[in-house]
């Protein structure tokens, strides 16, 4: 049974309504702690916080256009072993999808966590956000909320959203236990709360909310948003393919890469404890570089740049959720997300897989069928 | 480029295809010398990165060959290899690699003659395709 309810805002402030709701959840016996993005007291920075005392929820802000990291990694840290309590985690839809991938890759457990997602309004690149929220953080979030709900889904006061967000066709999470709806609700009046699993039902039942039917305007608004985003995404695919379809173009694409591997560190689904690219395998002997250079007369240093990126595509593209943290983490602004999503779209399609869609579908490279892909075998 | 001699890297599984190559040798069968065989315990252990590395280092072709379906010494390694080859055949062409340069075959331990034929056919096909771009240009 699904429970759908409404929470009214006071003084048109969705943050205060969310704060009350999260405090209510934290006060329930079932929930020991809540993982929620908050504005840090010292600076206008939003970071995930783990809160056990409801009086520390004053600065909750899951709506800010700030996406400093994919918190699926944090959720994985909290759930990889039993933590001695249950945590409610407020995550963006792409964070939930990454978390689901991590559960399937045995890096996290679904048992001790209640997934709450707020409709995602999108975000700015990290450095754009610090400029945007410089003056008054909370007030800037409220402006941003009205801007997006008012239909402006690509830019905010002259600043473009992160490309990953503009191309994201999953603004609403289907896999969260509790979904908090903003789209299709009247801006500044109320937000929707909806349970999508038994665990979600169980929690909402205890909260005595005023139940309503989901307003039809909501599904319409979501549908329109998704089709706009999909259009943008498909254009991005065409452009990215064109920009990378031979060796010269690939070289140009990655020419400013300094092998810092930040994209791998920021990637929520790149889960290897020790990536082969930072092991001694790549700590080549000095004479090796000389040999390589002698072969063609020149090598670019540091070496293995394309090798790293193409290998990462082979290893991770079937799990890519398109959160864009790779692009966010790149010191030289290489459009990594664009390439990853373009390839991931194809590789996930051939295995009829969609990263983060369901816990029941195994990761494509961890299973096989006897009767498949016969066309790749044999030489005539 | 008629005097072009391709470089082909071949990953052969210890139990079937490598044994077939051994058999071809002891049977005095000949096959093109362009093929550099790397013996692996199973095609299921051929990480995509080995193949990517081979191509980026200038290999003109890569051949992965293991046991026939149902014959895998480790039960299902060859099926896993098939998925990985499928994956790479989807990724590599995006960057301009001809997907004909990457091949997967099943060759049983007693198929020495078949192995020599496959090697000849593949070497001929790669020769016709010409040298890989990675052989001619700097790869970053």
């Amino acid at each position: 049974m699904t429970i759908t309810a409404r929470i009214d805002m006071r003084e048109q402030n969705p943050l205060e309504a969310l704060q009350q709701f999260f405090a209510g959840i934290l006060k329930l016996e079932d929930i020991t702690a809540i993982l929620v993005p908050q504005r840090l007291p010292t600076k206008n920075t939003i970071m995930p916080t783990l809160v056990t005392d409801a009086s520390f929820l004053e600065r909750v802000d899951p709506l800010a256009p700030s996406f400093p990291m994919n918190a699926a990694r944090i959720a994985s840290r909290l759930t990889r072993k039993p933590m001695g309590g249950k945590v409610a985690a407020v995550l963006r839809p792409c964070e939930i999808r990454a978390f689901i991938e991590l559960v399937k890759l045995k890096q996290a457990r679904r048992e001790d966590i209640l997934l709450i997602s707020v409709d995602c309004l999108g975000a700015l690149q990290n450095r754009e956000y610090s400029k945007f929220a410089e003056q008054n953080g909370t007030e800037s979030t409220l402006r941003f909320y009205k801007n997006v709900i008012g239909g402006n889904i690509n830019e905010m006061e002259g600043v473009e959203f992160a490309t990953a967000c503009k191309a994201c066709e999953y603004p609403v999470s289907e896999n969260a236990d509790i979904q908090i709806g903003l789209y299709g609700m009247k801006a500044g009046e109320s937000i929707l709360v909806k349970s999508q699993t038994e665990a979600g039902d169980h929690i909402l039942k205890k909260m005595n909310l005023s139940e309503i039917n989901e307003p039809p305007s909501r599904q319409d608004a979501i549908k329109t948003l998704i089709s706009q985003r999909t259009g943008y995404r498909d254009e991005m695919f065409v452009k990215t393919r064109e920009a990378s379809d031979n060796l010269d173009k690939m070289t140009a694409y990655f020419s400013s890469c300094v092998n810092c591997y930040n994209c791998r560190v920021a990637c929520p689904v790149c889960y290897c404890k020790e990536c082969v690219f930072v092991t001694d395998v790549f700590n080549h002997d000095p004479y090796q570089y000389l040999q390589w250079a002698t072969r063609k007369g020149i090598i670019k240093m540091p070496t293995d740049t394309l090798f790293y990126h193409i290998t990462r595509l082979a290893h991770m593209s079937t799990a890519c959720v398109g959160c864009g943290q790779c692009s966010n983490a790149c010191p030289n602004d290489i459009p990594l997300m664009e390439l990853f999503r373009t390839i991931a779209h194809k590789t996930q399609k051939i295995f009829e897989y969609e990263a983060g869609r369901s816990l029941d579908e195994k990761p494509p490279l961890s299973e096989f069928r006897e009767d498949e892909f016969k066309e790749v075998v044999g030489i005539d | 480029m008629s005097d072009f001699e391709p470089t082909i890297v071949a990953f052969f599984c210890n139990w079937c295809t490598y044994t077939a190559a051994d058999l071809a040798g002891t049977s005095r069968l000949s096959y093109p010398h362009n093929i550099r065989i790397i013996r692996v315990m199973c095609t299921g252990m051929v990480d995509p990165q080995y193949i990517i590395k081979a191509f980026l280092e200038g290999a003109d072709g890569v051949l992965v060959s293991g046991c026939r379906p149902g014959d895998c010494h480790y039960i299902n390694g060859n099926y896993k290899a098939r998925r990985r080859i499928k994956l790479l055949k989807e990724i590599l062409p995006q960057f301009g690699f001809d997907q004909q340069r990457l091949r997967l075959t099943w060759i049983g331990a007693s198929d020495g003659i078949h192995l020599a034929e496959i090697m000849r056919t593949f070497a001929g096909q790669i020769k016709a395709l010409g040298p890989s771009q990675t052989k001619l240009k700097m790869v970053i």
Side-chain angles (χ1 to χ4, degrees):
Chain A
M1 197 191 76
T2 311
I3 297 176
T4 310
R6 195 182 72 197
I7 302 175
D8 292 323
M9 297 177 202
R10 264 182 295 182
E11 291 169 11
Q12 305 201 349
N13 190 341
L15 292 180
E16 201 242 335
L18 288 172
Q19 183 199 327
Q20 296 298 333
F21 178 67
F22 296 147
I25 285 188
L26 187 53
K27 280 174 190 153
L28 295 177
E29 267 175 31
D30 314 61
I31 302 294
T32 327
I34 187 164
L35 176 72
V36 61
Q38 293 210 55
R39 189 170 299 282
L40 300 185
T42 42
K43 203 178 169 231
N44 270 329
T45 313
I46 309 276
M47 282 288 164
T49 54
L50 185 68
V51 181
T52 52
D53 177 345
S55 65
F56 287 100
L57 286 170
E58 276 170 14
R59 305 173 74 89
V60 157
D61 191 348
L63 306 182
S66 163
F67 189 27
M69 66 185 311
N70 190 311
R73 276 178 165 260
I74 305 292
S76 142
R77 275 178 184 247
L78 293 175
T79 58
R80 65 187 177 90
K81 288 178 186 169
M83 72 172 342
K86 188 160 181 168
V87 61
V90 181
L91 300 171
R92 290 180 187 268
C94 58
E95 293 175 320
I96 292 193
R97 290 166 53 239
F99 181 74
I100 286 174
E101 285 303 300
L102 290 173
V103 172
K104 290 196 271 191
L105 294 163
K106 312 265 184 277
Q107 304 300 307
R109 289 161 58 258
R110 185 70 178 84
E111 286 80 5
D112 299 329
I113 190 165
L114 180 82
L115 297 173
I116 303 173
S117 95
V118 186
D119 281 3
C120 184
L121 303 176
L124 310 176
Q125 290 283 101
N126 284 347
R127 63 192 88 144
E128 301 290 354
Y129 179 73
S130 26
K131 270 184 257 163
F132 170 71
E134 214 165 31
Q135 302 304 328
N136 184 338
T138 310
E139 198 268 330
S140 73
T141 299
L142 297 177
R143 275 194 341 258
F144 175 72
Y145 159 75
K146 279 185 193 147
N147 175 72
V148 177
I149 298 298
N152 196 349
I153 58 161
N154 287 320
E155 60 92 36
M156 174 73 205
E157 294 165 10
V159 184
E160 293 276 311
F161 289 13
T163 319
C165 301
K166 287 196 280 185
C168 172
E169 70 278 50
Y170 304 97
V172 174
S173 175
E174 302 291 329
N175 285 318
D177 296 307
I178 297 173
Q179 191 187 82
I180 297 177
L182 307 169
Y183 291 116
M185 305 297 287
K186 281 197 188 116
E189 275 187 23
S190 58
I191 53 181
L192 183 95
V193 179
K194 186 174 147 190
S195 63
Q196 305 193 111
T197 61
E198 266 179 43
D201 279 349
H202 178 73
I203 295 291
L204 289 192
K205 240 181 247 168
K206 295 187 173 178
M207 297 197 58
N208 300 322
L209 300 162
S210 52
E211 289 197 36
I212 54 155
N213 289 324
E214 190 171 330
S217 59
R218 176 162 163 78
Q219 287 309 320
D220 292 343
I222 294 172
K223 218 185 254 173
T224 315
L225 179 63
I226 292 177
S227 85
Q228 286 167 325
R229 295 264 185 88
T230 311
Y232 182 90
R233 181 200 72 180
D234 291 344
E235 264 174 50
M236 178 184 87
F237 286 166
V238 174
K239 274 188 219 154
T240 309
R241 265 187 219 122
E242 216 280 315
S244 62
D245 61 8
N246 63 38
L247 186 65
D248 288 339
K249 289 185 189 172
M250 277 297 272
T251 305
Y253 205 96
F254 287 111
S255 57
S256 55
C257 177
V258 291
N259 293 26
C260 69
Y261 305 142
N262 281 1
C263 45
R264 177 185 63 79
V265 176
C267 178
V269 291
C270 234
Y271 65 94
C272 291
K273 290 273 180 288
E274 189 176 39
C275 174
V276 64
F277 284 92
V278 296
T279 61
D280 273 352
V281 174
F282 286 85
N283 197 5
H284 307 300
D285 277 335
Y287 81 88
Q288 178 76 71
Y289 293 107
L290 200 58
Q291 263 191 345
W292 279 329
T294 311
R295 203 165 51 188
K296 283 179 190 163
I298 178 171
I299 48 167
K300 173 243 158 200
M301 301 292 283
T303 57
D304 301 311
T305 303
L306 273 191
F307 184 26
Y308 161 72
H309 289 287
I310 301 178
T311 300
R312 220 169 78 79
L313 280 166
H315 283 171
M316 297 320 306
S317 69
T318 53
C320 174
V321 295
C323 67
Q325 285 301 340
C326 44
S327 289
N328 226 350
C330 182
N332 292 332
D333 295 324
I334 298 169
L336 287 154
M337 179 284 301
E338 284 86 333
L339 188 70
F340 246 84
R341 279 220 67 188
T342 304
I343 301 293
H345 187 68
K346 285 171 84 184
T347 55
Q348 294 182 16
K349 212 171 183 174
I350 52 170
F351 298 112
E352 291 163 12
Y353 185 78
E354 217 174 82
R357 178 169 59 189
S358 157
L359 272 176
D360 304 325
E361 297 170 328
K362 283 190 180 171
L365 294 180
S366 71
E367 62 161 1
F368 60 86
R369 290 180 200 96
E370 279 180 27
D371 231 9
E372 63 177 4
F373 307 130
K374 297 213 159 148
E375 73 282 2
V376 302
V377 185
I379 293 177
D380 310 315
Chain B
M1 219 178 164
S2 58
D3 56 350
F4 161 61
E5 283 298 334
T7 311
I8 294 170
V9 176
F11 296 96
F12 285 174
C13 103
N14 177 59
W15 305 98
C16 293
T17 309
Y18 192 84
T19 313
D22 240 3
L23 178 63
T26 49
S27 315
R28 305 285 172 122
L29 296 169
S30 69
Y31 53 80
H33 61 270
N34 312 68
I35 293 165
R36 273 74 156 169
I37 298 173
I38 297 173
R39 174 160 71 162
V40 293
M41 289 313 283
C42 177
T43 49
M45 64 157 283
V46 179
D47 190 299
Q49 66 171 322
Y50 303 166
I51 296 168
I52 294 165
K53 177 71 173 170
F55 278 125
L56 292 177
E57 285 291 311
D60 300 296
V62 172
L63 174 63
V64 178
S65 185
C67 308
R68 291 178 173 283
D71 285 356
C72 178
H73 190 78
Y74 306 100
I75 301 167
N76 53 32
N78 47 1
Y79 292 126
K80 291 174 182 159
R82 184 167 62 187
R83 282 211 159 196
R84 293 191 190 125
I85 298 293
K86 177 73 186 168
L87 177 78
L88 281 172
K89 276 176 174 281
E90 204 60 39
I91 295 176
L92 292 174
Q94 167 58 38
F95 310 130
F97 291 91
D98 191 323
Q99 61 125 346
Q100 295 288 96
R101 291 185 189 276
L102 172 62
R103 306 300 276 271
L104 171 71
T105 59
W106 316 133
I107 299 173
S110 57
D111 284 344
I113 298 171
H114 183 49
L115 177 122
E117 271 168 24
I118 291 266
M119 302 279 237
R120 276 194 290 274
T121 315
F122 188 48
Q125 287 176 359
I126 295 296
K127 210 165 177 173
L129 278 176
S132 154
Q133 288 295 296
T134 50
K135 197 172 219 169
L136 307 171
K137 291 178 178 167
M138 179 172 79
V139 176
I140 65 162

